[in-house]
Amino acid sequence: MKTLDEFIVEKQQEFSQATGDLTALLSAIKLGAKIINRDINKAGLLDILGETGSRGEVQMNLDLHANEKLKAALKARGEVAGIASEEEEKIVIFNNERSQNGKYVILMAPLDGAENVEVNVTVGTIFSIYRRISPVGQPATEEDFLQPGNRQVAAGYVVYGSSTMLVYTTGYGVHAFTYDPSLGVFCLSHEKVRYPEKGTMYSVNQGNYIKFPAGVKKYIKYCQEQDEATLRPYHSRYIGSLVADFHRNLLKGGIFMYPSTASFPQGKLRLLYECNPMAFLSEQAGGKGSDGTGRILDITPEQLHQRSPFFVGVCSMVDDAERFIAQNPE
Ligand code: AFP
């Protein structure tokens, strides 16, 4: 059995200019994930005991609670100059001397799909790590966070499901670790994860069908048609928790889509906290991440909370979706 700590120390030489900083940083994320995992597992119990009021409040609290816990774990490390979070309006700069010398900034969705906690369905934490571009020794700036996804040095997620798993990449493949709660350690369970060559699942909120662009509607119909050679009709699977949907599609082969809709013309998902890290992981696993017209990782962000349409998964499936979109302009 190899633990996450052992694995990242072993792989440290793969990082350019390895100094151990990134290793320490992943350790901080691991600690935050363990705390969030423990607290999610207690959520229903707290509710029964009435410690935090109504169900709605428990779920709301957990969102913010996860943000605070992860932020504290990262702040405690000198390697991080600041964070941006889906739960915070503005960037949070860590202003102590040690943090100002930190080389990295982190963007995160601390509890993605939080509404699912209330009904005992899988949720996740997503993170994305960049080397800052402002001078080390000074406070980080917003520019450090508004870098295109192709500059990520690491990204990953934690999926809190029937077991808890941490999945990450530093640009040398995707590795997954399953949490053993009795030992309190993440153990290597999937090294160099790759998508299956052909996918058979599509994940999209079909309740929004009427509001989708014509190309997406046509692609969904294509997914539902019968054709043995391409293993269609595909299975439809949608949890409503990006991490869970992405994770299943990664292991089983599929495409996740959150297109633009009449209600969300730019899509619903956040480019920096959701699309970029998942697109980086996808590419590292042999898949693709697109906004429907091109590579997600090449978009230069203009705003922290910017949204983007998102198509991610097995290469040939994302290619098909892009083709249908290009052939059916609005
Ligand atoms: P929340 O974090 O606000 O619950 O949103 C979750 C999410 O961003 C992503 O994890 C899901 O894939 C997507 O939204 C689900 O959105 P719909 O409910 O509109 O399908």
Side-chain angles (χ1 to χ4, degrees), residues 27-326:
S27 260
I29 291 171
K30 182 193 69 181
L31 174 64
K34 282 189 198 176
I35 296 171
I36 296 169
N37 179 59
R38 180 198 64 194
D39 296 345
I40 289 172
N41 284 332
K42 278 200 303 205
L45 207 51
L46 288 174
D47 193 29
I48 291 165
L49 299 173
E51 286 183 26
T52 49
S54 76
R55 273 179 199 279
E57 280 167 359
V58 169
Q59 177 260 315
M60 280 297 292
N61 287 346
L62 270 177
D63 240 7
L64 302 175
H65 180 78
N67 188 52
E68 292 309 318
K69 293 295 169 193
L70 203 50
K71 191 163 60 175
L74 292 167
K75 192 175 176 184
R77 317 285 330 194
E79 296 80 14
V80 190
I83 59 129
S85 165
E86 205 178 352
E87 299 299 328
E88 310 258 359
E89 200 189 325
K90 297 185 177 149
I91 57 173
V92 180
I93 304 299
F94 299 150
N95 266 327
N96 57 70
E97 198 185 323
R98 222 176 131 218
S99 302
Q100 284 185 10
N101 287 322
K103 287 191 295 215
Y104 298 100
V105 293
I106 301 211
L107 295 95
M108 61 196 202
L111 201 61
D112 200 62
E115 275 182 24
N116 282 322
V117 172
E118 204 184 340
V119 288
N120 231 335
V121 170
T122 300
V123 290
T125 296
I126 310 174
F127 60 91
S128 165
I129 304 177
Y130 292 81
R131 194 177 285 271
R132 64 189 288 192
I133 44 184
S134 60
V136 170
Q138 290 176 22
T141 64
E142 195 166 278
E143 222 193 335
D144 295 322
F145 297 87
L146 294 178
Q147 301 187 56
N150 57 31
R151 299 231 188 107
Q152 287 171 103
V153 294
Y157 60 82
V158 183
V159 55
Y160 309 99
S162 43
S163 59
T164 294
M165 282 179 82
L166 189 150
V167 181
Y168 83 91
T169 183
T170 53
Y172 295 88
V174 175
H175 312 297
F177 299 80
T178 304
Y179 187 57
D180 180 338
S182 64
L183 299 176
V185 290
F186 284 94
C187 307
L188 179 62
S189 50
H190 305 64
E191 192 171 354
K192 293 209 168 92
V193 184
R194 305 282 297 174
Y195 282 100
E197 200 141 312
K198 284 189 179 166
T200 55
M201 298 196 186
Y202 73 103
S203 314
V204 67
N205 184 342
Q206 301 217 46
N208 289 331
Y209 183 85
I210 196 78
K211 302 180 193 169
F212 287 153
V216 175
K217 284 183 182 159
K218 292 226 165 110
Y219 177 64
I220 292 173
K221 285 291 162 216
Y222 167 87
C223 293
Q224 296 167 345
E225 281 163 16
Q226 183 131 24
D227 177 50
E228 266 177 44
T230 51
L231 308 175
R232 287 178 292 146
Y234 299 147
H235 305 279
S236 165
R237 295 281 185 277
Y238 189 73
I239 294 171
S241 176
L242 172 64
V243 173
D245 281 312
F246 179 93
H247 187 68
R248 185 205 47 248
N249 290 345
L250 173 64
L251 297 182
K252 298 283 183 192
I255 181 172
F256 171 92
M257 300 178 268
Y258 209 110
S260 58
T261 66
S263 337
F264 290 103
Q266 299 306 317
K268 179 190 172 194
L269 301 191
R270 311 285 179 164
L271 175 65
L272 296 179
Y273 312 113
E274 295 173 304
C275 307
N276 273 340
M278 293 316 209
F280 186 24
L281 285 157
S282 178
E283 288 192 4
Q284 284 296 316
K288 249 182 136 169
S290 165
D291 68 353
T293 60
R295 190 181 181 218
I296 276 284
L297 297 184
D298 289 340
I299 298 174
T300 302
E302 286 166 9
Q303 287 169 12
L304 277 182
H305 295 285
Q306 182 170 335
R307 299 174 194 270
S308 172
F310 193 36
F311 301 80
V312 68
V314 170
C315 263
S316 57
M317 299 177 98
V318 178
D319 287 343
D320 284 341
E322 281 182 334
R323 183 164 45 83
F324 275 92
I325 291 166

